[in-house]
Amino acid sequence: MKFSNYLCLAVLGLGALASCKSGPPTAAKPGKYSSTTGVEYNTEKGMTVASYKSPPEGPGLVFIEGGRTVLGSQEEDVTMTHDNIERTVTIASFYMDEAEVANIHWLEYLHFIRTDSAEEFYKSALPDTMVWARDLSFNDPYVTYYLRYPGFRYFPVVGVSWLQADDYCTWRTAKVNENLATGASSGSKKSKKKKKGDDAVAEGGAEGAAGKAGAMGDGKSTTSIENGNTLPNYRLPTEAEWEYAAQALIGTQEVGNENQEEKRIYPWDGRTTRNAYGKKQGQFLANFKRGRGDYAGIAGSLNDGAMITEYVYAYPPNDYGLYNMAGNVNEWVQDVYRPLSYQDVEDLNPFRRNGVLDPADKYDKNPVNGKGGYQSLIDDHVRVYKGGSWRDVAYYLSPGTRRFMAEDSATATIGFRCAMINAGSNK
């Protein structure tokens, strides 16, 4: 008899020999007995070990295989901020929404919280439709129709602050897990790969989601982490995750070549913003402002075809299957803004939290005794946004560019999408 079988006999007894012969235990096949104590699972004396195959699939998500990359600006730093210098990092695999959160999704959110939350919270979740209003521009129809008119259902929601987007992620986590608990079909497009890995960057954690979910009228879910039948939190992606996913360098990588020999200025190949291949050759690959006063081109020969925002699936996806990682709307990310984050954060899953290094009181934002102040816009309540929008020039379409805005502010050019950790595997 092999030594491994002798060991099984010694530790577990004859009753466990069969499980040892089947190989080492795994998450899906932990065996009948504990491999450290020999105590039988799922008995009066043993621990309950639920059956487990794989986590449920998160609606709307695409799997992003992690790895090593070089983050940082790929374009000339025309703003002279020098706030995203190139550096090598590793990003753990994660999941991200394939498209921006659209008006119909936000209306669904408003529908549910109006029935199971306080009126005060419902009002706090309403987007600021006045972001379209301009004193010297006739954008009045967008103020009234953009959010609610059926034709705009799958245009990205705008007028949403970082705080509102963060609340939406919490609600979505609770609602999806509530749906799983009832055994109802999601009715959504399934994620393109099963959830497998782990990540360690989201603020709040499961406890935070559960706490907010209770305030939003959930708290009835029968799913649990131990049973493996609950999804991790939907959340805003970290800046590093967002930039990595926008690069989509997996599309340039040769199998077996561990060197990253290709770079991209935009989320697609080449140095231009036009499609270089096929029947759509010459067409724009993103919705952005081509030049002063040029939002869409000329009638009969429109370039990107969109005067404002556009259908969230309007342009070709990148090599991860993500739509509009450049243009259409900028997108909120998790990180607090600091100009030196690139040199402060760690090189594994980099992420900038509140109150860690580079304190806000070093920035001259507020006046002291009526003197000084307002020399900076930076504090612990400004968040990074990425990607460029329908109103931005091509410079901001590059994944490495970064800007920031107060977390309680909103514009007609910023939306968001959700992300989720990859729980249970390193792949």
Side-chain angles (χ1 to χ4, degrees):
M1 185 179 290
K2 294 182 180 180
F3 173 75
S4 60
N5 285 344
Y6 278 119
L7 182 60
C8 289
L9 286 170
V11 175
L12 306 179
L14 289 170
L17 180 57
S19 63
C20 286
K21 284 184 176 179
S22 65
T26 65
K29 296 180 179 180
K32 189 176 181 181
Y33 299 89
S34 166
S35 59
T36 55
T37 66
V39 176
E40 186 176 0
Y41 294 135
N42 299 317
T43 62
E44 184 177 347
K45 294 183 178 180
M47 180 178 72
T48 299
V49 178
S51 59
Y52 172 81
K53 291 184 179 180
S54 63
E57 295 180 331
L61 299 176
V62 170
F63 178 73
I64 310 297
E65 183 180 4
R68 183 189 72 237
T69 192
V70 177
L71 299 181
S73 299
Q74 298 301 309
E75 279 277 39
E76 180 184 358
D77 189 5
V78 296
T79 61
M80 299 297 288
T81 53
H82 303 293
D83 64 352
N84 204 17
I85 307 301
E86 290 188 348
R87 71 279 186 199
T88 300
V89 302
T90 293
I91 308 296
S93 298
F94 62 102
Y95 290 84
M96 181 178 275
D97 278 340
E98 66 177 357
E100 298 143 338
V101 172
N103 286 322
I104 191 171
H105 305 134
W106 200 267
L107 291 173
E108 178 189 28
Y109 172 46
L110 294 176
H111 164 77
F112 280 109
I113 64 174
R114 190 165 202 173
T115 61
D116 62 15
S117 300
E119 183 70 12
E120 182 181 2
F121 182 79
Y122 169 76
K123 290 181 179 179
S124 74
L126 292 171
D128 181 7
T129 59
M130 293 302 293
V131 294
W132 291 107
R134 310 285 289 184
D135 289 342
L136 299 176
S137 179
F138 186 66
N139 290 343
D140 305 41
Y142 303 133
V143 175
T144 304
Y145 291 100
Y146 182 81
L147 175 64
R148 300 182 184 276
Y149 188 73
F152 288 120
R153 280 175 177 166
Y154 282 93
F155 282 48
V157 67
V158 297
V160 172
S161 70
W162 184 96
L163 294 173
Q164 289 175 309
D166 190 53
D167 281 342
Y168 172 87
C169 293
T170 302
W171 169 85
R172 184 175 174 186
T173 302
K175 182 56 66 176
V176 170
N177 281 324
E178 178 187 15
N179 200 41
L180 289 171
T182 62
S185 171
S186 68
S188 301
K189 184 176 180 179
K190 293 183 178 180
S191 55
K192 296 186 178 180
K193 187 171 180 179
K194 291 181 180 179
K195 299 162 191 55
K196 291 182 178 179
D198 194 12
D199 194 351
V201 292
E203 286 188 316
E207 296 82 358
K212 281 191 178 180
M216 296 180 189
D218 183 56
K220 297 181 180 179
S221 174
T222 60
T223 57
S224 70
I225 294 175
E226 291 80 5
N227 288 338
N229 59 359
T230 182
L231 284 170
N233 293 346
Y234 284 89
R235 58 177 173 81
L236 293 174
T238 67
E239 180 179 4
E241 286 175 334
W242 194 99
E243 189 172 331
Y244 176 82
Q247 291 176 347
L249 294 176
I250 192 171
T252 69
Q253 198 65 22
E254 296 180 7
V255 177
N257 182 1
E258 294 189 6
N259 294 318
Q260 197 173 72
E261 297 174 353
E262 300 288 340
K263 294 291 292 181
R264 282 175 167 163
I265 297 175
Y266 305 112
W268 51 79
D269 293 335
R271 300 188 61 84
T272 72
T273 54
R274 294 181 184 269
N275 195 330
Y277 309 102
K279 295 181 180 179
K280 296 185 177 181
Q281 184 175 1
Q283 294 185 12
F284 277 91
L285 292 167
N287 175 19
F288 68 104
K289 186 177 179 179
R290 188 180 181 186
R292 182 171 295 178
D294 185 0
Y295 291 87
I298 59 175
S301 185
L302 297 177
N303 47 46
D304 67 40
M307 285 70 172
I308 55 166
T309 56
E310 177 58 289
Y311 177 52
V312 295
Y313 298 103
Y315 304 94
N318 72 6
D319 287 320
Y320 276 124
L322 302 172
Y323 292 85
N324 288 299
M325 292 300 283
N328 212 23
V329 288
N330 292 286
E331 298 178 16
W332 289 114
V333 297
Q334 189 80 247
D335 298 51
V336 171
Y337 177 81
R338 287 292 187 275
L340 299 182
S341 288
Y342 70 89
Q343 72 178 23
D344 293 337
V345 296
E346 296 194 14
D347 57 5
L348 173 63
N349 297 323
F351 173 55
R352 190 84 202 209
R353 303 176 188 273
N354 280 336
V356 180
L357 298 178
D358 202 7
D361 59 16
K362 289 187 176 180
Y363 293 87
D364 186 20
K365 181 173 182 178
N366 298 312
V368 178
N369 297 324
K371 299 179 180 179
Y374 299 113
Q375 303 302 309
S376 173
L377 297 174
I378 298 173
D379 63 17
D380 285 341
H381 301 284
V382 292
R383 302 284 176 164
V384 179
Y385 62 90
K386 308 271 285 183
S389 76
W390 59 273
R391 199 177 182 126
D392 291 318
V393 295
Y395 169 76
Y396 291 105
L397 305 184
S398 183
T401 57
R402 61 199 303 252
R403 287 175 287 180
F404 64 93
M405 192 170 71
E407 62 185 22
D408 60 354
S409 298
T411 77
T413 63
I414 301 181
F416 73 102
R417 72 182 75 208
C418 300
M420 181 186 290
I421 67 168
N422 181 28
S425 168
N426 287 320
K427 295 182 180 179

